[in-house]
Amino acid sequence: MQAMTTTDAHPLRELLPEGRVFDDVDVLEAHRRDRATFCPSGTPSVLVRARSTEDVATTLRWANENRVPVVPQGARSGLSGAANALDGCILLSLEKMDRILEIDVEEQIAVVQPGVINGVLAAAVAEHGLFYPPDPGSRDISTIGGNVATNAGGMCCVKYGVTGDFVRGLEVVLADGRVMRTGRRTAKGVAGYDLTHLIVGSEGTLGVVTEVTVALRPAAARPLTAVAFFPTVADAARTVAGYLGKGHRPSVLEFMDRPTVLAVQKIADLGFPDGMAGMLLVQSDRGEAAPAELAAFEEVARSFDAAEVIVADDPAEGELLMQARRLVGDAHEHLGLALLVDDVCVPRRHLVDLVEGLGRIADQHGVRVLCAGHAGDGNMHPVVAFDSDDEAETARAHQAFDAIMALGLELGGTITGEHGVGHLKRRWLGEELDEPALWTQRAIKNALDPNNILNPGRVLP
Ligand SMILES: Cc1cc2nc3c(=O)[nH]c(=O)nc-3n(C[C@H](O)[C@H](O)[C@H](O)COP(=O)(O)OP(=O)(O)OC[C@H]3O[C@@H](n4cnc5c(N)ncnc54)[C@H](O)[C@@H]3O)c2cc1C
C-alpha cells in the first residue's frame, strides 16, 4: 500500500474545489522563489492555485484558524524575496485569476483579476484607444496583482506616475477570510480613510488582492526617441537634472552605464559607440511637440559634454531601443556572476552624487557595480556583481550593497523606489523610518492580521 504523505491529507483539499491544491514536490520546488538572489526560501506545505475570490477566502479562513502562514504569489518576478516560500506555508498563487472583467471606455477604467499580465492589459486597452501607463521592465511577465502589491514603477512613470497612481479600487480578502471592497470607480472619491492605497505596496502582508479597478488614459502618440552618450556618468546624471529642471516631461528618461550597455550589446547588437561611460535614452510622446522636446534634450545633453546624440525619427527604431533597455535584467544575468540588485531613489539633483558614489563604493569594496535605472525619477538600480564561490568577495558584495543604501539615504533618498522591502531590505526599513512611523506600520499590521499569517517576516523589521 502506498504511504500517504502529510500533504495528501491536506485539509484544504476537502475545503476547495478540485484542481486547486498541489503538493507535488517538483511543483512546490518551482514555486519556492522569486527573482531575488540571496533571500532565503523555505519548504512550503502546499500550493493553492486560486481561481476565484471564494477560493482565496476559504484558504485564508482556514489558514487563520490554524495559524498557518500564507505567501501570496503573482508571477514571482519580484526582486526582494517577498514571494519566497516560508517553512510550512501555503503558497497562494493568483496567476490563474487572469481575466479582464471589464473595459469601460466611457469612464476610462478597467476591472481585472490579479493574475492578468501587465502587458496583456496594456494591449487589450490599446485596442480601445486607451493607455495603461505603468510599465515595469517585467511588463510581459509580471501580474497586475503583483504590481499593486509592490506599487511597481517602470519606464513611463517619469511622466505618468507609478501603479498606485492608477489604482482606483480593490477587492481584498482579509486575513480572516472576509472580503473587503475599497475605493471607487469614479474619478474622485474621499469617503473614509484611503484603504486602497494602504493595500497598494503592502507586499502581501495586509490582505490578498482579488480584483483591481485601474484608471486608464487616452492613448498617447507614438513616441519619438533619442539616445545620448557621455564621456562620464556624472555628465549623464547632470543632464537628467538639467533637462527636467527646465520643465520638460519626457515619457521615458532611462540611464545605462557602460558595462550595462556592453552586456546588452552581447545579447542584442545595437551598434552603440564604444568608449562611452554612460548613455541616456529619452522618449517624447507629445506628437507634434515631440521633435522640439527632443531638440531641447539634445541641447542640454551637449551642454553637459554629450559626445553623440542620436534622434531616431522612425518610431520603430525607438521601440528597438526600448527593447534594449528592457533587456538590461537579462543582460546582467548573462554575465555569469552573482548579482545583488539595489533600487535606491534620490532627488534628481543628487543623481550625480549617487553615480559618482557608486564608483567609490566599488573601489572600496573590490567588487563590480553596474548601474541602469529610471534616471528621470532618480530611481537607479545599481547591481553588485560578484563571484559567490568566493566567500570573502561575497561578504564584500553585501557590504557594498548596504553602502549603496546608506548613500541613498544620505542623499535624501529612499532604500527602495519600486522593488519593495520584502526580505532583502527589512533591516534597512528601520534605518529609513522614524520610530513613530515604524510604530504606526506595526499597529496597522497587527490590526489587519493579528495572527500574523500574511507573508510574516516580510517588510517590517
Ligand atoms: C527583468 C525584470 C525587470 C523588472 N523591472 C521592474 C520595473 O521596471 N519596475 C518595478 O517596479 N519592478 C520591476 N521588476 C520587479 C517585479 O517584476 C515587480 O516587483 C512586479 O510588480 C512583481 O509582480 P509579480 O506578479 O511577479 O509578483 P510576485 O513577485 O509574485 O510578488 C511580489 C509581491 O507581491 C505580493 N503579491 C503578489 N500578488 C499578490 C496579490 N494578488 N495580493 C497580495 N499580494 C500579492 C507577493 O506576496 C510579494 O510580496 C522587474 C523584475 C524583473 C525580473
Side-chain angles (χ1 to χ4, degrees):
M1 199 176 91
Q2 205 183 344
M4 197 161 79
T5 64
T6 335
T7 46
D8 282 336
H10 201 289
L12 281 172
R13 278 197 191 283
E14 295 295 316
L15 300 172
L16 290 166
E18 278 270 312
R20 306 295 198 273
V21 181
F22 298 82
D23 51 30
D24 182 273
V25 177
D26 295 338
V27 174
L28 293 184
E29 183 58 34
H31 286 77
R32 271 182 64 200
R33 306 193 58 89
D34 66 13
R35 298 278 285 263
T37 40
F38 304 101
C39 286
S41 66
T43 306
S45 62
V46 77
L47 167 76
V48 172
R49 282 202 178 110
R51 287 181 181 270
S52 67
T53 301
E54 190 46 40
D55 290 349
V56 175
T58 303
T59 305
L60 292 194
R61 210 176 299 122
W62 182 87
N64 194 46
E65 278 163 11
N66 293 280
R67 309 288 191 266
V68 177
V70 177
V71 178
Q73 292 189 331
R76 301 183 315 282
S77 71
L79 293 169
S80 71
N84 283 3
L86 297 161
D87 279 338
C89 78
I90 298 166
L91 294 176
L92 178 54
S93 171
L94 284 306
E95 269 179 312
K96 297 285 183 210
M97 290 181 68
D98 61 355
R99 280 185 301 131
I100 296 176
L101 302 171
E102 185 188 346
I103 297 172
D104 182 336
V105 177
E106 207 174 318
E107 203 58 34
Q108 296 186 350
I109 56 171
V111 182
V112 302
Q113 291 189 316
V116 171
I117 298 294
N118 176 304
V120 170
L121 173 62
V125 304
E127 283 179 22
H128 298 270
L130 293 169
F131 177 31
Y132 178 65
D135 61 339
S138 57
R139 68 176 190 181
D140 293 334
I141 52 171
S142 66
T143 66
I144 295 295
N147 293 170
V148 169
T150 55
N151 198 4
M155 321 287 172
C156 289
C157 299
V158 61
K159 178 166 181 177
Y160 294 102
V162 295
T163 300
D165 296 318
F166 290 85
V167 180
R168 285 208 183 156
L170 296 171
E171 180 185 83
V172 181
V173 183
L174 296 174
D176 61 9
R178 282 179 298 160
V179 180
M180 164 174 84
R181 294 202 78 94
T182 73
R184 59 200 157 82
R185 286 171 67 96
T186 48
K188 293 166 76 179
V190 291
Y193 298 132
D194 187 351
L195 299 180
T196 304
H197 292 96
L198 177 64
I199 299 296
V200 170
S202 63
E203 303 187 45
T205 62
L206 299 180
V208 177
V209 175
T210 47
E211 192 186 288
V212 187
T213 301
V214 293
L216 306 168
R217 299 179 64 114
R222 268 187 100 183
L224 282 189
T225 308
V227 282
F229 297 92
F230 298 86
T232 70
V233 286
D235 290 329
R238 286 190 191 101
T239 297
V240 172
Y243 179 53
L244 296 177
K246 285 183 185 290
H248 297 288
R249 271 292 162 270
S251 50
V252 166
L253 182 42
E254 296 286 313
F255 168 80
M256 288 189 232
D257 69 358
R258 177 180 152 79
T260 300
V261 171
L262 292 178
V264 170
Q265 289 262 86
K266 275 194 191 148
I267 47 178
D269 187 2
L270 291 150
F272 289 149
D274 203 8
M276 292 294 124
M279 166 187 153
L280 290 176
L281 185 147
V282 61
Q283 287 197 324
S284 170
D285 63 0
R286 288 185 58 211
E288 285 175 6
E293 198 160 50
L294 294 190
F297 170 75
E298 177 166 6
E299 194 182 320
V300 177
R302 292 213 185 273
S303 76
F304 286 109
D305 294 335
E308 200 168 336
V309 183
I310 304 163
V311 180
D313 33 38
D314 175 7
E317 212 179 314
E319 189 39 44
L320 268 182
L321 291 163
M322 281 299 283
Q323 276 170 21
R325 169 60 186 92
R326 291 196 189 96
L327 284 174
V328 163
D330 290 341
H332 285 160
E333 280 175 12
H334 271 73
L335 292 171
L337 290 164
L339 306 173
L340 280 167
V341 183
D342 234 316
D343 175 39
V344 284
C345 187
V346 297
R348 290 188 293 251
R349 68 175 173 283
H350 288 312
L351 263 182
V352 59
D353 306 304
L354 180 70
V355 293
E356 288 187 332
L358 295 178
R360 277 197 310 278
I361 289 170
D363 290 347
Q364 268 164 16
H365 297 279
V367 287
R368 290 183 68 188
V369 179
L370 298 80
C371 187
H374 313 302
D377 289 323
N379 183 196
M380 298 296 245
H381 299 315
V383 175
V384 184
F386 59 101
D387 174 3
S388 58
D389 291 333
D390 180 333
E391 239 176 77
E393 190 171 323
T394 303
R396 292 200 308 277
H398 282 272
Q399 286 160 9
F401 182 72
D402 283 354
I404 292 167
M405 280 184 284
L407 177 61
L409 290 179
E410 207 178 288
L411 296 172
T414 172
I415 55 167
T416 175
E418 57 181 22
H419 293 165
V421 175
H423 175 87
L424 198 63
K425 296 181 175 171
R426 267 177 74 195
R427 180 172 75 75
W428 280 91
L429 189 67
E431 302 290 322
E432 178 163 335
L433 300 187
D434 59 29
E435 191 279 327
L438 272 176
W439 178 89
T440 306
Q441 301 231 355
R442 289 197 179 106
I444 290 168
K445 170 72 175 169
N446 287 339
L448 289 186
D449 182 18
N451 296 323
N452 196 24
I453 61 150
L454 281 173
N455 222 356
R458 270 74 199 250
V459 181
L460 292 175

